[in-house]
Structures are given as structure tokens and as C-alpha cells.
Amino acid sequence: MQVIINIGKYFMMLRIIFSRPEKMRIFRYRLMNEIELIGVKSLPIVVLISVFMGGVIALQTAANMTSPILPAYTIGYITRSSTILEFSPTILSLILAGKIGSNIASEIGTMRVTEQIDALETMGINSLTYLVLPKIVAAVLFFPLILVFSIGLSLVGGWLALVSSGLSNTDTYIFGLRSFYQDSDILYALVKSVVFAFVIVTISSFYGYYTKGGALDVGRSSTQAVVISSVVILICNFFLTQMILL
Amino acid sequence: MIEVVNINKSFNGTLVLDNISAKFETGKVNMIIGQSGQGKSVLAKCIVGLHEVDEGSVLYDGRNFSELEGNARRDIRKEIGMLFQGSALFDSMTVEQNIMFPLSMLTNMSKKEMQERADFCLDRVNLSGKNKLLPAECSGGMQKRIAIARAISMKPKYLFCDEPNSGLDPKTSIVIDNLIREITYEYGITTVVITHDMNSVIEIGDNIIFIHQGRNCWSGDRNAIITTDNPAINNFVYASEFMKDIKTVLQGKLK
Ligand SMILES: Nc1ncnc2c1ncn2[C@@H]1O[C@H](COP(=O)(O)OP(=O)(O)O)[C@@H](O)[C@H]1O
Ligand SMILES: [Mg+2]
């Protein structure tokens, strides 16, 4: 029952967010701040995860390619496909749900319990639009960029792992990366990243905004934000994969 | 003048405000007093529209706030300044940005005009030069004063203060009280102060209403609260032996 109420509240929140835009000048200023918070400050963890993820995928693939029938460049090909299609968009979004999601929920939740949101509202400001819209726009613009960056780094990570462990060589790997390439793969990954960006920001904002109580409840909201965004990402991923690939 | 007419408000079936009516006069410090948890903050939040009332209406100089929507409501809100119990300063902004915030959101002032207004308001609360501090770097009393500066930056007609003295030492409390009174008289603001601090009531309370169990139990002025024999008031205000002594002294003074 609570789930249905929350879903209703969530969609009502979205309606308010997109209903009354604030002044453009202020929106731009807020957007720049959010791009820094959501985009730029996430880069270190993206670099770290992408490189290692690519390395592990390549090693796994190489280790399982014992059959002599399969050509050696298959390693590069599989590494590329699984990185673009699943690992980068999904894993990355799950990690960012943890980082950005908890950050957003605790920021907005703290503003709620310290009455900063009430202060905004008494001034006659639409607090949801003011706080959440720039975050949504920043994430929806920046996630695709982060994704492309992450895919690139993962492929580099794969190459480093293969070459340093002697399981393959540069030419074969690159030949593999370039085999059977389709533009639609990237497009598909970009669509996913935009959807996940929206999911992370809106769900985390939802849990932050409707926090009740004190500091302890902010922590709880923050955890819920991460868990629920992750679950929704996994569910969306399933349906998107089904819709686009089949 | 703000008029509250027969307000009812309940949360999940629990009645918090029970048919409250009150008048808050212009250019006066109007006080809402009562024990913790009796619905003082809820009443204030109903008046400014942070909570919707279940029944009844709130009139700002005759304008029925409860019936208004959208822009008309926002127009009245721009005339309201509010001082929250925990100050509610935006902690990611400097002192000066906090004060300029409503100006930048709601007016078309130039950067320079906003700066001047911020300096003026800071000066008014005796905090000139503290522009670049962050709220976390300020003491509780300073935070309250910054919040007052922010509340008056838009030249409000109505000022709400929710327990402006909570968590402050007696000396700082007096500073804040005097500031609220001066501002009220100086700009002819309709001020509503929520408090349970008897010192403030006696010092600056022009009109006082007493909320008990969600009802408006008693109202009167500063002298009336000293002479009253209303048992609920006596029970709350003159709860300690010390306060009983004070009452005797004050009554003597009145004669
Ligand atoms: N948002 C809310 N939801 C449910 N109950 C609330 C809410 N706000 C206040 N209450 C309840 O209303 C009563 C009065 O609270 P409040 O007005 O904060 O008291 P005080 O007089 O100390 O300011 C309390 O019992 C409180 O639990
Ligand atoms: Mg209160």
C-alpha cells in the first residue's frame, strides 16, 4: 500500500518540478553548481572503476576462450560488446546511484529537517523546482558524457590487462574491438544512461525531500534512496534491454 | 493586521489546532505562548501556508490567504519574513548570499542594489563586516541575527519568529528580543513571536495569546498576564516558585 502511495507522490513531485520554472539566470547558476557536483566530482571514481572493470572483463573473456575454433580477436570483440551494452551503463549507474544518490538525498533531507525548505517555501519559491530541476538537467546532460568516457577507459583497461598478462597482443585486441561494430550499440548505451540519470536524481530527491524528523532520518532516507534507485535501475535495465535488443 | 478565523488542523486524525481564532495587530509584537507540543509552530505554519488548514481562514489585511492560489498567494508570501526555530540559514551560502538570496530570486534588483541592501540589513542587526562568513562559522546568536537580516531583506509587512530565543543565553536573548521589537516599531510590521520564554513576554509582548491543548485559551496584553487569575496561565507561566515571586513583585509595580 505504502508503495502505491509513494509512487503516486513521486509522480506528483515530478509534475511540480516541471510546472513552474524559476528565473533563467538563477537556473543557469544552479546548473553550473550541479554539473560540478554531479558530473565533475564523480570523475575520479568513474576512472577507477572503468579501468579495472575493463581489465577484469578482458581477463575473464580471455580465460574462457580456450577453444581453438574461436579466433583470438573474439576477446576484443566480446570485451567491447559487454562493456558498451551492459557493464558501463549499468555498473556505472549503480555506483553513481551510491555516490550521487546518497549525496542528493542527504543534502535535500538535511535542508528539510533544518527547515531550509520551509524557508524557501515561505519566501514564495517553488523549492522542488529550485532544488531538483538543475540536478536532473545536470545529470541527464552529463551521464552520457561520463558513459562515453567510461567506455573508452574500460577498453583501455582491457588492453592493459591483456597485454601485461600476455594473453593477447595490441593488434589482435584492436582488430577485435573493431569487428562487427554497430552504431546502435552506443545509442542504446546512451539511452540507458539518460534513463538511469533521471532515475537516480529523481528518486534520491524524492527520499530527501520527503524526509521527516531529524538527523537520523536523513541517514535513513539516504540509504533508501540508494537502495530504491538501484532496484529501479536494475528493473529498467531489464526492460530496456528487452525492448532494444529484441 | 492578520486575522485567524476558526482554524482547525489535524495530522493523521489527531486534532492539533482546535478552532483557533486570533488577531495580530500591525506595528505590534504579537505573541503566541504555550507549552511545548501544544501546536504553536503548527499554528504559525498554517498562517504562512506551509500547512494547509483543514477548516477556517487566514486574512492578511483583509485578503483571504486560505482561498488564494498560485501567484496571488506568492504575492502575499513575498510580504512575509520568517525566522525559524533553528534559523534555517542556507548552509552552502555565505552570510551575505543568504541575505541576498530572496532578493535575487524574487526581485529584479541589480547586483549593486542587492549588495547595498544586504549591507544595510547586516548593519541593522549589528553584524556589519561579517558578509563572507559561512553560517557554520557563526554562533547561535549570530545565526539568529543573520536570519533576522534575511527575513527583513525584502521589507516584509509581516514577520514571524518561531522561538527566537531557543538555545540562547539570557543576555543574547534580550539582544534578539530588542531587535525584534525595534524592527517591528521602526517599520510598522505585523510581528508574531512564538515563545515560551516569560522574560520575552514581559519585555516585548504587546498582545499575547496562550495556546493550550490546541485551543486559544487566553489573550490579553502584558499587564493582563501579570494580573490574571486564569488557572491555565498561572499553571504555565508561574510554574516555579521563582516565577511566583516575580509575579508578586510585578503586581506590586503595577499598583
Ligand atoms: N508535520 C507534522 N505531522 C504530524 N504531526 C505533527 C506535524 N507537525 C507537528 N505535529 C504534531 O503537532 C503537535 C504540535 O506541534 P508543534 O506545533 O511543533 O508544537 P510547539 O507548540 O512546541 O511548537 C505535536 O504533537 C506534533 O507531534
Ligand atoms: Mg515549536
Side-chain angles (χ1 to χ4, degrees):
Chain A
M1 193 57 208
Q2 192 56 43
V3 177
I4 297 169
I5 294 175
N6 275 348
I7 293 175
K9 242 165 107 180
Y10 172 77
F11 282 104
M12 260 155 66
M13 176 190 85
L14 291 185
R15 220 190 62 198
I16 299 173
I17 292 174
F18 292 104
S19 66
R20 275 184 295 171
E22 299 293 346
K23 280 197 215 161
M24 201 54 207
R25 173 167 56 90
I26 285 154
F27 178 76
R28 266 204 304 269
Y29 173 76
R30 292 264 307 123
L31 183 62
M32 290 304 142
N33 277 342
E34 294 301 338
I35 285 180
E36 191 189 340
L37 268 171
I38 292 177
V40 180
K41 290 205 169 145
S42 304
L43 289 181
I45 190 148
V46 170
V47 172
L48 193 73
I49 288 172
S50 303
V51 172
F52 278 93
M53 193 173 65
V56 170
I57 296 169
L59 286 183
Q60 272 292 345
T61 316
N64 288 311
M65 301 274 293
T66 43
S67 164
I69 309 165
L70 293 169
Y73 70 81
T74 316
I75 302 174
Y77 161 63
I78 293 184
T79 304
R80 186 205 68 212
S81 318
S82 37
T83 303
I84 296 183
L85 289 179
E86 291 307 327
F87 284 97
S88 269
T90 315
I91 305 274
L92 195 67
S93 299
L94 289 175
I95 302 287
L96 291 181
K99 185 179 181 296
I100 297 174
S102 63
N103 192 305
I104 290 177
S106 56
E107 179 198 333
I108 299 185
T110 304
M111 292 189 73
R112 164 63 74 194
V113 302
T114 55
E115 298 182 305
Q116 290 175 52
I117 289 180
D118 286 343
L120 287 172
E121 288 287 328
T122 32
M123 286 173 194
I125 293 163
N126 179 353
S127 58
L128 271 174
T129 311
Y130 173 76
L131 291 172
V132 183
L133 190 59
K135 290 185 197 293
I136 296 178
V137 176
V140 165
L141 287 178
F142 238 73
F143 265 43
L145 292 179
I146 294 179
L147 175 76
V148 170
F149 183 61
S150 157
I151 291 173
L153 284 172
S154 295
L155 299 182
V156 172
W159 170 75
L160 281 174
L162 289 174
V163 171
S164 63
S165 61
L167 286 170
S168 185
N169 60 55
T170 308
D171 288 341
T172 320
Y173 180 66
I174 291 184
F175 183 76
L177 290 186
R178 304 174 77 163
S179 310
F180 314 109
Y181 172 77
Q182 294 171 296
D183 282 338
S184 61
D185 287 357
I186 281 280
L187 189 69
Y188 158 75
L190 291 177
V191 168
K192 273 190 177 182
S193 72
V194 169
V195 172
F196 296 164
F198 188 82
V199 164
I200 293 173
V201 174
T202 51
I203 291 186
S204 313
S205 301
F206 175 79
Y207 279 99
Y209 194 81
Y210 293 107
T211 303
K212 271 190 189 136
L216 224 57
D217 303 275
V218 174
R220 220 167 44 102
S221 295
S222 164
T223 310
Q224 266 181 323
V226 175
V227 172
I228 305 292
S229 332
S230 305
V231 171
V232 174
I233 286 175
L234 292 174
I235 294 172
C236 286
N237 188 37
F238 179 81
F239 285 109
L240 282 173
T241 307
Q242 218 176 31
M243 247 162 57
I244 306 180
L245 286 192
L246 299 182
Chain B
M1 186 165 77
I2 304 173
E3 256 177 295
V4 172
V5 189
N6 300 335
I7 287 190
N8 278 301
K9 175 74 188 170
S10 43
F11 290 110
N12 313 318
T14 327
L15 196 60
V16 176
L17 300 181
D18 186 359
N19 208 23
I20 290 202
S21 297
K23 281 192 177 124
F24 304 108
E25 288 176 37
T26 308
K28 295 254 166 77
V29 179
N30 303 277
M31 292 209 145
I32 303 175
I33 64 170
Q35 249 172 295
S36 257
Q38 301 293 325
K40 303 185 298 294
S41 297
V42 172
L43 175 58
K45 287 184 179 177
C46 283
I47 299 175
V48 301
L50 287 172
H51 290 318
E52 290 303 322
V53 295
D54 298 339
E55 273 171 60
S57 44
V58 177
L59 299 138
Y60 282 88
D61 289 312
R63 295 168 294 177
N64 192 336
F65 184 71
S66 323
E67 278 179 0
L68 296 175
E69 275 178 26
N71 280 339
R73 200 170 238 224
R74 290 227 269 179
D75 285 342
I76 294 189
R77 280 192 168 172
K78 286 180 194 173
E79 300 174 356
I80 300 176
M82 184 143 182
L83 183 59
F84 286 89
Q85 214 164 334
S87 296
L89 296 173
F90 303 119
D91 36 36
S92 57
M93 300 180 191
T94 63
V95 166
E96 157 186 290
Q97 285 169 337
N98 261 286
I99 299 169
M100 280 160 46
F101 179 79
L103 303 175
S104 67
M105 291 297 290
L106 304 167
T107 70
N108 290 316
M109 283 187 173
S110 70
K111 189 100 192 161
K112 187 162 161 285
E113 287 168 313
M114 286 196 273
Q115 184 72 53
E116 279 168 9
R117 183 75 192 147
D119 288 339
F120 173 83
C121 294
L122 270 180
D123 188 45
R124 187 67 198 76
V125 299
N126 300 320
L127 285 176
S128 353
K130 307 286 185 198
N131 301 47
K132 303 291 178 201
L133 290 181
L134 284 171
E137 297 166 333
C138 300
S139 68
M142 275 167 76
Q143 290 184 3
K144 283 274 156 66
R145 283 189 280 162
I146 298 161
I148 293 177
R150 184 178 69 184
I152 61 171
S153 68
M154 291 281 289
K155 304 187 179 165
K157 284 173 139 172
Y158 314 99
L159 179 64
F160 290 82
C161 308
D162 193 351
E163 306 208 2
N165 297 331
S166 65
L168 300 181
D169 59 86
K171 185 118 192 265
T172 314
S173 296
I174 292 171
V175 171
I176 300 288
D177 282 344
N178 286 336
L179 197 53
I180 290 172
R181 178 170 55 185
E182 282 164 27
I183 287 169
T184 303
Y185 293 172
E186 209 170 305
Y187 306 119
I189 301 175
T190 308
T191 300
V192 178
V193 178
I194 295 173
T195 190
H196 48 228
D197 178 357
M198 278 325 291
N199 195 39
S200 308
V201 175
I202 307 286
E203 282 292 323
I204 65 167
D206 292 320
N207 296 318
I208 301 151
I209 71 168
F210 175 63
I211 304 281
H212 188 63
Q213 292 176 343
R215 287 164 183 275
N216 180 357
C217 263
W218 181 89
S219 55
D221 64 8
R222 196 176 344 195
N223 292 341
I225 206 166
I226 297 169
T227 50
T228 182
D229 44 15
N230 180 309
I233 288 261
N234 283 332
N235 215 341
F236 168 67
V237 177
Y238 307 105
S240 65
E241 289 305 318
F242 177 68
M243 283 309 291
K244 282 178 189 141
D245 290 347
I246 300 245
K247 183 180 187 182
T248 324
V249 174
L250 287 173
Q251 281 180 336
K253 249 185 164 177
L254 277 183
K255 276 171 194 155

